[in-house]
Amino acid sequence: MNLSKFTKSLFFTFFLLIALNFNQTLNAQAGDCPYPVIFMHGWTGSHASFSPLYDDANFRNIWGGLTVNDHVFWAMVNATDTHDYNAGWWDCPIGSYLNTNTLNDDLRGPDGVFSGTGVGDDVRWIFDNEDNVLQPGCLYAYSFDVGLVGNNADKSGSNDSPCGDCSDSNESAIYKQGYALSRAIQAVLDANPTKDKVIIVGHSMGGLAGREYLQRTDASGNPQWWIDPSSPDGHKVAKYISVGTPHRGSNTGTFFHEDEGDERDGLQDLFSEAVRDLRYHYSNDHPGVYLFGGAENQIPYGCGTLTGFWSNDVNCDGDKNDVVTGINEAGSPAWSGTRDNPAMPLPTNVRYTYYVSNELGGLLSTCKYKFYGCAGDGVVDDQRQWIYDGTGAGRTEDHIDGINYPVPYDGVANRLSDRVTAEYGVFHTSQPGDIPYLIRTLDEGDYPKFAWDIDVNITYSGTATQTPEVIPTDGNRASGEDHDWYVFELPAASRGITCTFKPTANLSGKIELFDAPGDYELGDSPNSMSFAASGSPSLMTFKAIGCFDAATPYYIRITHDAVAANSWQSPFTLKIESNDVEIPTAVNAYTATHETTSSDGWTHYWKDKDVAPTTPKDLLLLSIYKDATVDIVPAQVTHGVTAVGGHVDLSTNAYVPAGETWYVMNRYWNVDPKTQPSS
């Protein structure tokens, strides 16, 4: 882009994303991630959109770095000219433009046959100079700011429109972006074969690409873009995060169009498919078809007009005569709808977080809640940056007052879906750099239903983050608490589990093991270990002994108290291992040091190997099935081994009748309950 073009583009106020400096250095990180994160840019953006977050040293310490060559998925989302002419907007054939089906944006490409191979269709991701085979990691981004020179990807974005009236690749239809996201997710999973899901984070229109991927269904009602449409979690998404996304549309901006002839690359094109899809209603007062549904022929279009669009083929099937299912439920008028479309709903096995900001915020604000601000981020109104239910109008104050709550909704407000609202005024294009509040959106799961999957024998890092301003009403967390749930399975049955854990600096809390919690467990586990606040926390060992089956989910909950705004900068670490526990065999008396209670009612008393008499491994001493009236503490359980072998021969003792053989076990147990059984 030359300077004159850049200066010219600044006059357009409908900016949904800006390009920022991008760090290409991969940094060491405290531990692995349970799920890779894919960052998705918005209108006219690129992989560099979230570079303020990528470049932050504290963030890299947790999630690692991102290198352009290894962790960016490149796709040209309008790689073919599906028109039958190639003319500038001022001299295109008006009759052909208005009265035939030649103006389209066919996903299948010019031949009308969908290949799905990355070549030949209108979404292309395989080039002579780029195969999009990604490398392992925790941070990824896609870039649609891609052009085509011959069969090579032009990553400069200077040739990303195949014809004079085609939208640039990063201004193309959201429908195709949802499909391109599915290819990016597959590439990330291929690069990380031990990870089964991803987290997707979309700024502005990128959030709508994520919704398109999650929601769109085919004519039979099956997911259209999912990695595995036949599986309930075939979307392979653990968490969806939107940042300043116009979920309910945005009409901000001018309608003047750049007069650049056949070369508009790099400029904001207000005739583009993206702008068409982002509008909640058009100049002819019809609702935005992509967002709220309707007929494609209601969309104003026209070559050379000031209010039309280059294409009205919203579902990218090669014609402009369809009735499209919108991603939102229509209201009255249609664009007043506030939630996802129940005819094509968001899946409820994904955790949702909406980041919302307002440009006006601070001490001098006249808003009801000064520091949260009001009126929107300068591009998207605050009530259009999220989807919600309730009796209010969706404004920030309505959310804070609890009369609106985000959707999808599972019966408890702010549990399945929540919202993070930035403070002190954040303009739309500055949202990808609002690190403290973006970190809140990346918080680990707060309930077992949303626990993050981890593998044994791997050290993971996590963050203690402040909660959103409105938390669930079920009492799950006390003020200042952060609950982080993880789930794991053992590859083989084991008598013990060892968790090596380093807490976040300067925070107290506890770590707990659950073997069968409910989806929304609120209670405490009897198997826990507390930790005190320390400025330099050291590794701690938390063990549980009992009977642990293979391929069975077990859960860890980590709670940090009094979490501060910058606590996330000191990540905690977590590693789960099987513990090769033994039954005592050497002659000695052993007193229990710990107990572990399983959900089936059994309590297992055991001795740590480092407690006298020291042993090579931890020892399981006794398992008791007892009711709540019996109080047995570990110090009251002793197990003695009196001889080597399976028994002791008493036959030679004088008290044994002649001719008889007496044997006794070579071990004994002494149990002295603090509270005796009732009978």
Side-chain angles (χ1 to χ4, degrees), residues 295-548:
E296 290 176 331
N297 61 20
Q298 294 178 344
I299 301 172
Y301 66 97
C303 185
T305 71
L306 296 179
T307 58
F309 302 97
W310 291 118
S311 169
N312 58 358
D313 187 9
V314 173
N315 62 358
C316 304
D317 68 344
D319 65 60
K320 55 179 182 289
N321 300 311
D322 299 302
V323 175
V324 176
T325 301
I327 62 170
N328 293 329
E329 181 180 37
S332 182
W335 56 83
S336 67
T338 68
R339 55 162 302 135
D340 56 320
N341 191 345
M344 193 175 67
L346 284 163
T348 56
N349 56 359
V350 176
R351 182 73 166 82
Y352 297 90
T353 295
Y354 305 100
Y355 168 103
V356 176
S357 76
N358 291 284
E359 185 183 9
L360 302 175
L363 281 171
L364 300 180
S365 170
T366 59
C367 305
K368 180 176 181 180
Y369 297 101
K370 290 181 178 296
F371 298 125
Y372 291 119
C374 55
D377 61 14
V379 172
V380 188
D381 294 338
D382 58 348
Q383 65 265 41
R384 292 192 174 272
Q385 293 179 52
W386 64 317
I387 48 176
Y388 57 87
D389 213 333
T391 59
R395 298 163 300 187
T396 292
E397 62 187 62
D398 298 327
H399 169 60
I400 304 299
D401 289 341
I403 60 176
N404 284 127
Y405 49 85
V407 294
Y409 170 65
D410 64 359
V412 174
N414 303 290
R415 188 169 67 177
L416 174 59
S417 306
D418 64 5
R419 170 179 150 165
V420 171
T421 308
E423 296 185 58
Y424 299 105
V426 181
F427 186 70
H428 187 83
T429 54
S430 299
Q431 291 165 340
D434 188 12
I435 296 174
Y437 286 86
L438 292 180
I439 289 295
R440 293 190 191 186
T441 70
L442 286 165
D443 185 32
E444 295 83 357
D446 297 321
Y447 298 89
K449 181 180 175 72
F450 312 123
W452 287 16
D453 279 297
I454 58 175
D455 293 324
V456 298
N457 305 318
I458 295 175
T459 299
Y460 293 90
S461 62
T463 58
T465 56
Q466 291 184 315
T467 63
E469 63 278 359
V470 181
I471 62 176
T473 56
D474 59 4
N476 180 42
R477 290 168 290 190
S479 177
E481 276 188 348
D482 181 29
H483 291 176
D484 297 315
W485 283 85
Y486 296 90
V487 60
F488 63 93
E489 295 182 358
L490 300 176
S494 174
R495 288 198 186 103
I497 293 170
T498 297
C499 173
T500 306
F501 169 67
K502 184 177 76 171
T504 290
N506 301 310
L507 299 183
S508 61
K510 65 179 177 178
I511 180 171
E512 302 168 89
L513 173 72
F514 296 79
D515 60 350
D519 282 350
Y520 298 108
E521 182 67 54
L522 299 179
D524 297 327
S525 170
N527 310 309
S528 65
M529 180 179 70
S530 297
F531 52 87
S534 170
S536 300
S538 57
L539 284 174
M540 306 167 60
T541 301
F542 169 55
K543 299 178 182 178
I545 306 301
C547 301
F548 298 96

Side-chain angles (χ1 to χ4, degrees), residues 258-270:
E258 289 290 349
D259 182 3
E260 294 294 331
D262 293 349
E263 180 55 60
R264 300 189 314 278
D265 301 287
L267 300 174
Q268 288 71 42
D269 180 5
L270 297 175

Side-chain angles (χ1 to χ4, degrees), residues 535-614:
S536 300
S538 57
L539 284 174
M540 306 167 60
T541 301
F542 169 55
K543 299 178 182 178
I545 306 301
C547 301
F548 298 96
D549 296 324
T552 299
Y554 297 98
Y555 294 79
I556 290 287
R557 179 171 67 186
I558 297 172
T559 300
H560 284 92
D561 303 320
V563 178
N566 62 350
S567 294
W568 69 271
Q569 296 176 358
S570 170
F572 62 81
T573 61
L574 172 69
K575 181 180 181 181
I576 304 294
E577 299 171 279
S578 293
N579 187 355
D580 189 13
V581 179
E582 290 186 340
I583 303 298
T585 56
V587 176
N588 220 319
Y590 307 93
T591 299
T593 59
H594 298 81
E595 62 181 294
T596 300
T597 300
S598 59
S599 61
D600 58 9
W602 285 87
T603 301
H604 310 277
Y605 293 88
W606 55 279
K607 184 197 79 71
D608 190 281
K609 64 185 178 64
D610 296 326
V611 175
T614 59

Side-chain angles (χ1 to χ4, degrees), residues 115-131:
S115 69
T117 61
V119 179
D121 301 324
D122 206 26
V123 176
R124 178 169 184 166
W125 69 90
I126 302 296
F127 309 90
D128 287 354
N129 63 335
E130 177 61 65
D131 58 10

Side-chain angles (χ1 to χ4, degrees), residues 67-293:
T67 59
V68 172
N69 292 332
D70 296 333
H71 303 113
V72 175
F73 184 86
W74 305 89
M76 188 172 183
V77 195
N78 61 344
T80 63
D81 177 9
T82 54
H83 302 16
D84 66 353
Y85 59 87
N86 185 10
W89 67 268
W90 62 88
D91 61 356
C92 67
I94 298 295
S96 172
Y97 205 113
L98 297 179
N99 299 320
T100 74
N101 286 332
T102 58
L103 182 62
N104 59 57
D105 196 31
D106 196 342
L107 174 64
R108 299 167 299 185
D111 61 4
V113 179
F114 183 66
S115 69
T117 61
V119 179
D121 301 324
D122 206 26
V123 176
R124 178 169 184 166
W125 69 90
I126 302 296
F127 309 90
D128 287 354
N129 63 335
E130 177 61 65
D131 58 10
N132 275 312
V133 175
L134 305 178
Q135 297 304 306
C138 290
L139 285 184
Y140 295 87
Y142 67 44
S143 181
F144 297 155
D145 190 21
V146 179
L148 191 64
V149 178
N151 284 317
N152 290 321
D154 176 11
K155 300 175 182 179
S156 69
S158 60
N159 294 281
D160 58 354
S161 179
C163 68
D165 52 9
C166 300
S167 297
D168 288 347
S169 179
N170 56 5
E171 298 183 274
S172 62
I174 297 173
Y175 186 90
K176 289 188 297 180
Q177 292 189 18
Y179 167 61
L181 174 58
S182 73
R183 300 305 86 206
I185 292 173
Q186 186 64 68
V188 170
L189 293 175
D190 289 344
N192 298 274
T194 64
K195 311 290 175 65
D196 60 354
K197 291 182 180 179
V198 301
I199 297 169
I200 55 176
V201 184
H203 180 228
S204 197
M205 189 174 66
L208 293 176
R211 285 187 60 187
E212 170 66 30
Y213 169 74
L214 289 170
Q215 286 185 249
R216 185 65 57 189
T217 54
D218 61 20
S220 300
N222 299 313
Q224 185 150 338
W225 307 134
W226 288 11
I227 302 301
D228 181 6
S230 64
S231 172
D233 63 349
H235 46 70
K236 305 300 182 183
V237 175
K239 188 169 189 177
Y240 164 93
I241 300 167
S242 68
V243 181
T245 292
H247 286 281
R248 303 178 55 238
S250 176
N251 286 3
T252 305
T254 178
F255 287 95
F256 291 104
H257 180 52
E258 289 290 349
D259 182 3
E260 294 294 331
D262 293 349
E263 180 55 60
R264 300 189 314 278
D265 301 287
L267 300 174
Q268 288 71 42
D269 180 5
L270 297 175
F271 279 7
S272 68
E273 299 138 20
V275 175
R276 173 202 67 200
D277 291 347
L278 292 167
R279 293 285 196 247
Y280 56 83
H281 69 69
Y282 309 120
S283 58
N284 61 5
D285 216 30
H286 283 292
V289 168
Y290 177 79
L291 291 173
F292 296 99

